[in-house]
Amino acid sequence: MGKISLTLQSQTNLYVLTECISLNFEKERYTPYTKVSGIFVCNINPTDIHKLRITLDGMGIHYGLVDSLEIYKEKGIGYVKFTSRGFSMGLSQNQPLPGMNYNVNLQSLINANISVPNVVCQQDTTVANYIYVKENSSLWDAIVALCQKTDGSYPYISGENRIMFSKPDIGPVDLTSAKVIKSGNGVSLTNVVSHYHMKDTEDAYSYNYTNEQADDFEIVRHKYINLDRQWLADPDGGLMHKSYFSGRGMKYSFTRLEGCYYADLCTKVKLSSTLVKEVSRIKLEYSKNGFFTTLWFYDDNYQ
């Protein structure tokens, strides 16, 4: 396993490269796009390249715009060096029309606002009575609010650029025979907020939420915020989700494997006969030293 190819695309041409020198690929539960960088042998002179795709054993794992691309020669051999983020990055870079969107699901919310090229979404998600789009918020912010309201969860990017609310209903990927290089666990407490206080319609801070997990870690961080009109009908629920997000990836475990073991976000993997966990972050690294896969498993309120 682990055959990598790079396709460079201009408006009129495709260039497929298969000799990989190095590759770093990363995908994370709360980041709405994939990230990739690498170097391939490139003994051609492609021009006007603006997007690229990475395939692994024939399966697309990244498709996005070029952030940077450099074509050069060294000791008579041509190379291309690149960085790219997935097209779904556009969800966080575009602002939808502020105001109310009534009786919307994921597809109709996107249809009513901005269509980001090469981004698709889960069909037939639950309809919400309304979504209030705040000024200066992104389309991803609106999608997050919809998912929290209808599913009590957090959206994620599946495949190359597919927005998903529900998690895959498939059996675990068996990794029990993989060679473990390193494994462990940790905490990430940088973003955790202990108390949220939100204004009501009369400008008083009457809505309050305490994160008991923060108390367990003796974290004291109070935030006072304006009324979030997205949550007028359920202000307590709104503060709860803000607290959940502040504690994203608060506790985690990880395993680093020798070889290529691609597993998409929210996919369950079997690490031993009794241990099955859900992938929250994946990093693939390829170099002259071979292929390595690192998987992280978050223990937070959205897992």
Side-chain angles (χ1 to χ4, degrees):
M1 284 187 63
K3 183 178 179 182
I4 313 165
S5 67
L6 166 67
T7 301
L8 304 175
Q9 294 183 242
S10 68
Q11 290 288 354
T12 55
N13 293 300
L14 297 177
Y15 307 91
V16 180
L17 308 176
T18 57
E19 193 171 345
C20 181
I21 303 301
S22 66
L23 182 76
N24 282 276
F25 165 89
E26 190 165 353
K27 195 173 186 181
E28 196 268 340
R29 176 72 171 85
Y30 301 108
T31 304
Y33 53 87
T34 55
K35 296 187 292 185
V36 68
S37 63
I39 301 173
F40 276 69
V41 172
C42 181
N43 289 312
I44 54 176
N45 190 27
T47 58
D48 301 322
I49 302 301
H50 66 282
K51 55 185 175 180
L52 60 84
R53 170 173 269 138
I54 296 290
T55 59
L56 184 63
D57 295 324
M59 175 183 66
I61 61 171
H62 172 89
Y63 188 32
L65 289 171
V66 168
D67 283 327
S68 67
L69 187 140
E70 183 178 271
I71 298 170
Y72 63 95
K73 278 195 172 183
E74 186 174 348
K75 296 180 181 179
I77 301 175
Y79 298 95
V80 59
K81 181 179 180 180
F82 60 88
T83 63
S84 173
R85 290 170 291 180
F87 279 108
S88 55
M89 175 73 176
L91 299 169
S92 61
Q93 294 176 321
N94 285 278
Q95 294 182 348
L97 181 68
M100 285 289 189
N101 289 254
Y102 293 101
N103 299 316
V104 290
N105 64 4
L106 177 56
Q107 185 67 69
S108 64
L109 176 65
I110 292 172
N111 290 347
N113 287 283
I114 301 160
S115 177
V116 178
N118 304 300
V119 175
V120 295
C121 69
Q122 179 181 339
Q123 302 296 309
D124 301 323
T125 57
T126 303
V127 174
N129 292 333
Y130 75 92
I131 287 293
Y132 181 78
V133 176
K134 295 177 284 188
E135 289 189 3
N136 300 316
S137 65
S138 69
L139 182 54
W140 181 250
D141 292 333
I143 291 168
V144 168
L146 176 62
C147 185
Q148 290 172 335
K149 178 170 286 191
T150 59
D151 289 45
S153 187
Y154 201 92
Y156 66 98
I157 301 300
S158 173
E160 292 176 322
N161 295 287
R162 181 180 295 276
I163 311 163
M164 293 293 295
F165 283 8
S166 62
K167 296 180 179 180
D169 185 20
I170 56 175
V173 177
D174 192 346
L175 299 181
T176 55
S177 63
K179 182 179 179 180
V180 177
I181 304 298
K182 181 181 179 182
S183 64
N185 55 72
V187 295
S188 178
L189 306 177
T190 303
N191 300 309
V192 177
V193 176
S194 61
H195 297 80
Y196 277 99
H197 313 280
M198 186 170 70
K199 285 183 178 180
D200 59 22
T201 55
E202 297 181 354
D203 225 26
Y205 290 98
S206 59
Y207 303 120
N208 300 279
Y209 186 88
T210 299
N211 181 346
E212 293 181 358
Q213 289 179 309
D215 282 349
D216 293 340
F217 283 97
E218 297 183 280
I219 295 171
V220 179
R221 294 183 186 130
H222 288 251
K223 281 199 173 184
Y224 290 82
I225 60 177
N226 290 325
L227 176 64
D228 186 345
R229 295 186 180 278
Q230 177 62 60
W231 295 95
L232 276 176
D234 184 16
D236 293 330
L239 292 182
M240 180 188 73
H241 282 293
K242 291 180 189 299
S243 178
Y244 281 7
F245 185 66
S246 82
R248 60 196 182 278
M250 182 174 173
K251 301 177 184 178
Y252 64 89
S253 60
F254 67 91
T255 185
R256 181 172 171 83
L257 309 171
E258 182 178 331
C260 177
Y261 296 96
Y262 179 78
D264 209 349
L265 295 181
C266 297
T267 300
K268 287 184 171 60
V269 295
K270 185 177 182 181
L271 300 171
S272 71
S273 59
T274 58
L275 186 60
V276 175
K277 293 192 174 184
E278 184 180 287
V279 175
S280 305
R281 178 184 170 197
I282 177 172
K283 186 174 186 179
L284 302 176
E285 300 166 277
Y286 177 79
S287 69
K288 64 181 180 180
N289 296 319
F291 233 129
F292 294 91
T293 303
T294 308
L295 301 172
W296 286 262
F297 314 99
Y298 295 164
D299 180 8
D300 62 32
N301 287 300
Y302 283 125
Q303 306 310 306

